[in-house]
Amino acid sequence: MSQPVGLPEVVESDLVRQVARSLTAAIVQGRLAPGAKVSEAAVARELGISRAPVREAARLLENQGLLRSSPRRGFFVRELSAADVDELYDLRICVERHAAVAASRRLTPETRAALRRQLDLMDALAREDDPATSVEADYQFHRMICEAAGNGRLLRLFDGLASELRIVIGLIGRLYDDPMKLARAHVPLLEAIEAGRPDAILAEVDHHLGVARREVGLLVQSLSPAKPDVS
């Protein structure tokens, strides 16, 4: 079969993306913890497919920052250091400060209603005690603000952070014993955007993401293996 015969390459591509989405969900939901090995054979067996698309999906997620590869050992879920988290939130705060102020200036009744519905969804998911879906709804709420800003490049920048944000947002789900706190923490931010006062908006973004920055950093430190005492 040396000549092309019109095989639908998109099918294989879709399969790779489906595997990548499944692995991403497992990471965000904590079923694949930071540092866990992603066995190509085990994943392929569980999904009932060959190892090739699993390998391609793993490479895709490596490029996105979710996985890391080790020679002769395979792929592992990336472990974020406290420094990684600090850098990520430093950039995220810059992006979302600008986005929230811009969104407030362009806020329409439709956008406001959509953001309110998203808060209602987060509240409902918290009541159902569905942490995996709650943290995804959290991510979508912040993306909606960036989308409302009306700057395509800013939205692409936010999306470019998405992979690492998903690891962090997965960790955020562990910060609250009361799941309602995660949902309610977004209310003051939306109220500030609705009020349209830039100083209040910036203060709420700084507070909202600053709390997450500090707590996730502490959580990452607590999950890191202790260094041996060399004194």
Side-chain angles (χ1 to χ4, degrees):
M1 189 165 43
S2 59
Q3 297 296 321
V5 293
L7 295 177
E9 293 182 359
V10 68
V11 173
E12 179 64 19
S13 177
D14 285 344
L15 180 58
V16 170
R17 285 197 292 268
Q18 289 173 30
V19 175
R21 284 195 294 268
S22 296
L23 290 174
T24 298
I27 292 168
V28 172
Q29 294 166 10
R31 290 181 281 119
L32 280 173
K37 180 177 175 59
V38 179
S39 168
E40 293 177 19
V43 172
R45 185 166 54 250
E46 184 172 351
L47 296 177
I49 59 177
S50 70
R51 293 176 61 169
V54 177
R55 187 178 305 112
E56 290 303 312
R59 288 173 179 160
L60 176 63
L61 295 184
E62 181 184 20
N63 290 336
Q64 294 177 358
L66 276 175
L67 300 181
R68 61 175 178 84
S69 62
S70 178
R72 296 181 296 279
R73 296 185 61 211
F75 291 93
F76 297 81
V77 178
R78 183 179 170 196
E79 297 173 275
L80 290 176
S81 68
D84 290 328
V85 169
D86 199 54
E87 288 180 1
L88 179 59
Y89 271 97
D90 190 46
L91 180 57
R92 184 179 177 187
I93 288 171
C94 291
V95 170
E96 295 202 39
R97 272 175 139 246
H98 182 83
V101 172
S104 73
R105 292 170 178 160
R106 297 171 51 89
L107 195 65
T108 65
E110 293 76 17
T111 302
R112 177 177 179 172
L115 287 165
R116 282 285 169 183
R117 286 195 299 271
Q118 190 68 12
L119 284 186
D120 291 341
L121 173 62
M122 294 170 68
D123 188 79
L125 292 171
R127 294 180 188 281
E128 294 172 7
D129 196 16
D130 187 348
T133 310
S134 293
V135 295
E136 181 64 20
D138 177 337
Y139 166 77
Q140 290 298 332
F141 175 81
H142 287 273
R143 189 185 189 280
M144 288 169 68
I145 292 174
C146 291
E147 191 173 18
N151 186 323
R153 286 181 172 82
L154 183 145
L155 183 59
R156 287 196 294 273
L157 179 57
F158 181 85
D159 284 341
L161 297 170
S163 295
E164 290 177 291
L165 283 173
R166 287 173 188 275
I167 296 177
V168 172
I169 290 173
L171 292 173
I172 288 175
R174 306 187 196 183
L175 295 181
Y176 300 101
D177 294 329
D178 178 5
M180 294 300 299
K181 289 181 68 175
L182 179 61
R184 291 170 179 162
H186 295 77
V187 174
L189 175 57
L190 179 55
E191 289 177 343
I193 291 173
E194 290 173 337
R197 290 180 48 231
D199 56 339
I201 294 169
L202 296 180
E204 285 299 335
V205 172
D206 288 349
H207 174 73
H208 181 79
L209 294 181
V211 169
R213 180 182 196 170
R214 181 181 67 251
E215 296 300 326
V216 173
L218 291 172
L219 179 57
V220 168
Q221 286 183 323
S222 72
L223 295 175
S224 300
K227 295 181 178 179
D229 188 355
V230 294
S231 60

